[in-house]
Amino acid sequence: MNLRLLIAEGRKLKVISIFLPVISGMLLLAITVAQWYYHFHRDSDDVYILFNVLYMLLPFSIFLTGTILTSITVGTEHESQGWKQILTLPFPRVQIYFAKFIWLLILMLIQGMVICLGIILIWTLLTSLPLPLSFLIKQIFYSILAYMPVLIIQFFLSIRLENQAIPIACGILGAIASRFLPLFSMKWLYLLPWSYTGLVSPYLPDHLFWLQVSIGMTILLLLITAWWFQRFDWK
Amino acid sequence: MSFIVQTKNLTRRFGDKTSVNRVDLEVPLGSIYGFLGPNGAGKTTTLKMLLGLLRPTAGEIKIFGKMMPEERRAILRHTGSLVESPSYYGHLSGYKNLKIFSDLLGLSSKSVLEILDLVRLSKHADRPVKEYSLGMKQRLGIAMALIHKPKLLILDEPTNGLDPAGIQEIRNLIKELPTLYDSTVLISSHLLSEVEQIATHVGIIHHGQLIFQDQMDILQQHRSPVMYVELEHPEEAYQTLLGKGWRVDIENRSLSIPVTSSKERARLFQDLQPFSILSVQEKKKSLEEIFIKWTGMGNSL
Ligand SMILES: Nc1ncnc2c1ncn2[C@@H]1O[C@H](COP(=O)(O)OP(=O)(O)OP(=O)(O)O)[C@@H](O)[C@H]1O
Ligand SMILES: [Mg+2]
C-alpha cells in the first residue's frame, strides 16, 4: 500500500467523516443503555441482557454508518471533480482505490472503538459484575468485519453512480434486510453479504464459519471491484 | 522532428457514435499546440484518452515515446492537466489543495508557494476554495497542473468562464511555459482567435476527424490578403476594374480586391493609376473565415 496516498486521502476527509462514526457510536450507546434499563426493570434481573440489546441494535447502526460514510467520502470526490485529477497522478489506479477503501475501514473501526470503550465505561460505572471483555470485542469487531462485503458494494455503487441518492437508498434497504435475513429459515439467504453481520455474533455456534465466509467474500469483492476500477472509463 | 505526443489512428466510439475518428495527432517538442474544434468535435474525448482516463476503441498513443496506457505512470509523472473544469476540494483552502498534491508528488512546500505566486493566488491561499471566484478556481486548476513543472501540459479550454483580463493573464502564462519549464503545451479551444494568439502549431478537429495539422504559419498562408482602396471616384474605378477582370467589391466608396501574389498587387496599382487613390489598406482573411470555408459551418463554432 502507498503511504503517501493514504495520508493524502486522510487530509481530504471532511470533518463530518470523522465525527459521524463517533456520533453514531455514541447514539448506539445511548439507545442500548436506554433499552437495557427498560428490560432490566421490567422483565429481567439479568444485567447481562445488555449484550442481547447490543446484538439487536449493532448491525443496523453499522449499516447506516457505513452507507453514509461511503457516500460522503466518495461524494466529495464527485463534487470536486477530483477523480480525473487523482487518476492522472502517477499512481496505479488500484492503489488509489485501496487507499480510499482503507480509510472507510479505519472510520468504521473508529465507530467500533467508540462503542467498545463506551460499553466498558458504562459497565464499570453501573455494575460491579465481571465484564465479558473478549465477548464484547468479538461481538463488535466481528460484526464490522462481516460488514465489509456490503461496504465494498456500497463503495462500488457510490463511485459508479454520481448521484448519491441511489447508493444511500440501497444502503438503507440493505440495513433493513440485514435485520431480517438471519431470521429466515431459508439457509441460502444467509449467503447474501447482508446476512453476515447478524451471523457472526459469538452467541451463535457457527459464527466463526460465517466470519470466514465474510472475509473470503471481502477479498473476492475487493479483487473484482479493484479490477473494475482499473478499467473504468472516466467520462 | 521529435514529437512529444503522437497518436496513430486514434479512435473512440460511444455506442455506435464515433467521437474521435482515426486521429493522427503530432505535437512537436517545445511547441504550443492549439487543438481547435467546434463544440462536440471530440477535443475532450481525445485529451482524456491521452491522459488514460478513457480507453481508445482503436489506435495507439505515444507520449515521450512511451505507450499509453501500458506505461501510464511514467507518462503521467511528467504530465500536468486541466480537463474541462478544475478539480478542487471546496472545504479546503487553496494552499491545502495544492499541498495535498505536492505531497503526493513528493515535492517541497516551497513549490506550493512558488506556484501560488505564479498564478497570483498567494493573497487568497488561506481561504476555502468554495469561496473563490470562477477565475480564481480556474487559476487554482492551472496551478495544480503546473505544480510539478511538467514536460507536457494538457489544457482543455482553460479560459472557459474567464473575463478578458483573466484570459489575457492565462494566455501570457501559457506563452511563458516553454521557456519557463521547458514544457510542451497542448491546449484545446473552440476559438480560432484565441489559438491564433498563442499557438505555434495547430490541429483542427471536426466531427472527430483531424482536418488540418501544421505550423501556425502555414495556416496563416491560407489567408489570401484583400486590398481595401479608397478613391475619389470609386464608381468609375469599379467599372474599369471589373472590365479588366478583377474580382472587386464596392462598399462605402471603397473597393475591396483579393490579391494572391505581389505581382498581382503591382498589376492592381497599375490599373488604379488613372484614379486618384486616397488610401490603401491590406487585410488578411480571418481564421474564422478560412475555417468556415473548410468545414462548411456557419458562424457559431
Ligand atoms: N460519455 C459519453 N457518452 C456518449 N457520448 C459522448 C460521451 N462523451 C462524449 N460524447 C460524444 O462525443 C462527441 C465529442 O465530445 P467531446 O466532449 O470530446 O467534444 P469537445 O470537442 O470537447 O466539445 P466541447 O467544445 O463542447 O467541449 C460529442 O458528440 C459527445 O456527444
Ligand atoms: Mg470539451
Side-chain angles (χ1 to χ4, degrees), chain A residues 233-235, chain B residues 12-15 17-20 35-48 54 84 156-157 160 188-190 205 207-208 301:
Chain A
D233 268 346
W234 296 88
K235 290 176 178 169
Chain B
R12 172 71 206 215
R13 280 191 283 275
F14 291 105
K17 180 177 177 9
T18 307
S19 296
V20 175
F35 191 35
L36 262 172
N39 290 133
K43 302 181 294 291
T44 304
T45 309
T46 305
L47 298 184
K48 279 188 172 172
L54 282 178
E84 290 187 325
D156 188 18
E157 312 212 12
N160 251 351
S188 86
S189 174
H190 59 274
I205 188 171
H207 288 319
L301 288 184

Side-chain angles (χ1 to χ4, degrees), chain A residues 47-80:
Chain A
V47 191
Y48 288 96
I49 200 152
L50 173 68
F51 296 96
N52 290 53
V53 176
L54 186 65
Y55 168 61
M56 297 277 292
L57 298 173
L58 186 62
F60 205 69
S61 162
I62 290 177
F63 270 75
L64 289 187
T65 312
T67 300
I68 298 170
L69 266 182
T70 312
S71 280
I72 291 178
T73 317
V74 177
T76 308
E77 213 65 71
H78 286 306
E79 216 177 275
S80 62

Side-chain angles (χ1 to χ4, degrees), chain A residues 2 4-6 8-9 11-15 76-77 79-93 95-96 100 230-235, chain B residues 12 14 48 51-55 72-74 76-77 79 81-92 96 99-101 103-106 141 144-145:
Chain A
N2 191 312
R4 263 197 214 153
L5 269 173
L6 206 57
E9 284 302 323
R11 288 163 63 189
K12 277 192 232 166
L13 290 179
K14 287 184 172 162
V15 181
T76 308
E77 213 65 71
E79 216 177 275
S80 62
Q81 311 249 20
W83 289 113
K84 58 180 190 227
Q85 192 82 41
I86 13 176
L87 291 169
T88 48
L89 287 171
F91 293 103
R93 278 190 178 194
Q95 283 188 7
I96 294 167
K100 279 216 182 298
Q230 175 76 32
R231 305 174 43 87
F232 187 52
D233 268 346
W234 296 88
K235 290 176 178 169
Chain B
R12 172 71 206 215
F14 291 105
K48 279 188 172 172
L51 290 165
L53 292 170
L54 282 178
R55 271 172 306 139
R72 175 178 164 274
R73 285 170 65 198
L76 292 179
R77 190 165 296 126
T79 306
S81 64
L82 171 55
V83 176
E84 290 187 325
S85 44
S87 313
Y88 54 86
Y89 301 100
H91 62 290
L92 302 176
K96 197 107 188 261
K99 185 82 170 97
I100 288 175
F101 277 97
D103 285 354
L104 271 173
L105 293 162
M144 282 195 196

Side-chain angles (χ1 to χ4, degrees), chain A residues 154-182:
Chain A
Q154 288 295 134
F155 189 35
F156 165 78
L157 289 176
S158 290
I159 297 174
R160 186 70 186 76
L161 307 166
E162 205 165 317
N163 181 351
Q164 296 301 303
I166 301 165
I168 289 177
C170 289
I172 292 171
L173 288 178
I176 296 168
S178 75
R179 190 71 198 78
F180 296 106
L181 283 175

Side-chain angles (χ1 to χ4, degrees), chain A residues 92-235:
Chain A
R93 278 190 178 194
V94 178
Q95 283 188 7
I96 294 167
Y97 183 77
F98 285 137
K100 279 216 182 298
F101 173 75
I102 286 174
W103 265 105
L104 290 174
L105 178 60
I106 292 172
L107 293 169
M108 291 305 290
L109 291 176
I110 291 178
Q111 188 200 12
M113 296 287 281
V114 169
I115 298 170
C116 190
L117 293 175
I119 296 274
I120 293 172
L121 188 72
I122 291 163
W123 187 270
T124 42
L125 284 178
L126 300 180
T127 78
S128 49
L129 292 165
L131 169 77
L133 185 62
S134 90
F135 183 92
L136 176 69
I137 291 174
K138 281 181 194 166
Q139 172 78 63
I140 294 170
F141 290 100
Y142 284 2
S143 295
I144 290 177
L145 284 182
Y147 174 65
M148 285 304 117
V150 178
L151 184 79
I152 295 165
I153 293 170
Q154 288 295 134
F155 189 35
F156 165 78
L157 289 176
S158 290
I159 297 174
R160 186 70 186 76
L161 307 166
E162 205 165 317
N163 181 351
Q164 296 301 303
I166 301 165
I168 289 177
C170 289
I172 292 171
L173 288 178
I176 296 168
S178 75
R179 190 71 198 78
F180 296 106
L181 283 175
L183 304 177
F184 285 113
S185 52
M186 289 169 284
K187 296 270 182 204
W188 62 267
L189 281 177
Y190 293 9
L191 280 171
L192 295 175
W194 290 268
S195 312
Y196 304 161
T197 20
L199 295 169
V200 294
S201 164
Y203 277 121
L204 306 170
D206 44 5
H207 68 275
L208 281 181
F209 169 75
W210 288 109
L211 187 66
Q212 285 165 18
V213 171
S214 353
I215 291 172
M217 190 60 107
T218 303
I219 294 169
L220 181 69
L221 287 176
L222 260 186
L223 291 179
I224 294 172
T225 51
W227 181 80
W228 162 81
F229 190 84
Q230 175 76 32
R231 305 174 43 87
F232 187 52
D233 268 346
W234 296 88
K235 290 176 178 169

